[in-house]
Amino acid sequence: AIVSVGGGVTVIVVHERGVPRFVRILGGGGRSLTDAIARDLSLTPDQAETLKRQGARAAEDLAGRATAAPSRRLSDLVEQIRGSLDYYRTQPDAARLLRVTITGGGSLTPGLDAQLRDVTGLPVEPAQPREHLAVADIGFPTDQLAALDPFFPVPAGLALGGLTPGRRVNLLGGEGKAALDRKRVVRVAAVAGALLVLLLGGLWFLRKSSLDDEKDKLATAQAETSRLQREIAKFGDAQTTQTQ
């Protein structure tokens, strides 16, 4: 499971060998924790964000308060993540969860990984995207790149998605014969579907034309019946006289 804790949303994706099996988006993230610190300690949002990231390294008189202020919000977020993973686990075809990888700026919140490990019973580890990426000169010293690991997945994903339009990016490497077979099946199914639509459309048109013809015949017969009934009514008095 990959848990990306952003500022305003938290995205949970359970994948099996690179294929997403479950996705859920939670309406909350690291910003709610920062807001709690800013409110309780009367700080600006920027000051509260810095204090949140410092955690135990903050000044002694602030560290305890900075940890206690967002504790309820952090517990709520962890419980929502646990609930989403538990929901996936209850599905009949769910594969067994092996570990949780956390990423995003909110994943730096002190205590998040420990709480998530306690409630899920799974190993929780930070994402290490630089194991799969070669980082060029982006204006940061090499010894500071590790601190950027939680933020690399988003720009890396956008860059991969910005390759040749329509191109499918497979991070596991090589599409393989199975993927090509699936594409071929999809193409054949699309052609067959189009032909079926044309066939059904032709049958519908013929049936509608036949139905319209029958409606015209019915209208003509009804008009003739009405005319004959009027003619019969004209001879009603003559029949009475003849009988007398």
Side-chain angles (χ1 to χ4, degrees), residues 79-100:
E79 279 301 311
Q80 291 184 60
I81 297 172
R82 179 199 60 78
S84 298
L85 295 178
D86 284 350
Y87 175 80
Y88 166 76
R89 284 168 156 175
T90 60
Q91 303 308 302
D93 57 345
R96 184 171 64 90
L97 285 179
L98 301 178
R99 64 180 178 274
V100 176

Side-chain angles (χ1 to χ4, degrees), residues 5-242:
V5 185
V9 296
T10 296
V11 181
I12 302 167
V13 179
V14 177
H15 73 92
E16 184 177 1
R17 298 183 180 181
V19 179
R21 299 300 186 191
F22 173 79
V23 178
R24 176 162 288 180
I25 300 176
L26 306 178
R31 189 175 300 121
S32 63
L33 308 179
T34 303
D35 292 343
I37 296 175
R39 183 181 62 253
D40 289 7
L41 277 70
S42 300
L43 301 174
T44 66
D46 289 341
Q47 292 172 332
E49 181 67 23
T50 300
L51 189 58
K52 181 184 72 173
R53 292 176 183 242
Q54 289 177 342
R57 295 182 288 105
E60 186 176 352
D61 58 332
L62 295 176
R65 297 174 62 190
T67 302
S71 59
R72 184 176 63 82
R73 295 287 182 88
L74 179 60
S75 297
D76 290 344
L77 177 61
V78 169
E79 279 301 311
Q80 291 184 60
I81 297 172
R82 179 199 60 78
S84 298
L85 295 178
D86 284 350
Y87 175 80
Y88 166 76
R89 284 168 156 175
T90 60
Q91 303 308 302
D93 57 345
R96 184 171 64 90
L97 285 179
L98 301 178
R99 64 180 178 274
V100 176
T101 300
I102 56 176
T103 184
S107 67
L108 298 173
T109 303
L112 173 64
D113 54 346
Q115 288 194 34
L116 201 54
R117 188 182 303 113
D118 291 340
V119 299
T120 61
L122 297 168
V124 178
E125 58 189 26
Q128 297 178 333
R130 287 180 300 117
E131 291 183 353
H132 312 282
L133 297 173
V135 181
D137 183 8
I138 58 175
F140 285 84
T142 304
D143 58 350
Q144 293 184 13
L145 291 180
L148 300 178
D149 277 347
F151 307 99
F152 273 138
V154 170
L158 292 173
L160 290 171
L163 295 176
T164 305
R167 177 181 176 185
R168 179 178 180 273
V169 178
N170 187 347
L171 293 179
L172 297 181
E175 290 190 339
K177 183 177 182 299
L180 295 176
D181 289 342
R182 284 195 297 271
K183 288 185 177 180
R184 188 175 299 110
V185 170
V186 170
R187 287 196 295 267
V188 172
V191 173
L195 293 176
L196 179 60
V197 169
L198 291 175
L199 176 61
L200 292 176
L203 293 175
W204 175 83
F205 178 77
L206 293 176
R207 182 62 177 170
K208 185 177 183 302
S209 298
S210 177
L211 181 61
D212 290 342
D213 291 342
E214 295 297 328
K215 286 182 178 180
D216 291 341
K217 292 179 181 179
L218 176 61
T220 301
Q222 289 175 338
E224 180 64 16
T225 300
S226 298
R227 186 188 67 78
L228 292 175
Q229 288 177 341
R230 290 194 299 270
E231 291 294 328
I232 292 173
K234 292 180 182 179
F235 296 103
D237 294 341
Q239 182 69 32
T240 302
T241 303
Q242 182 179 359

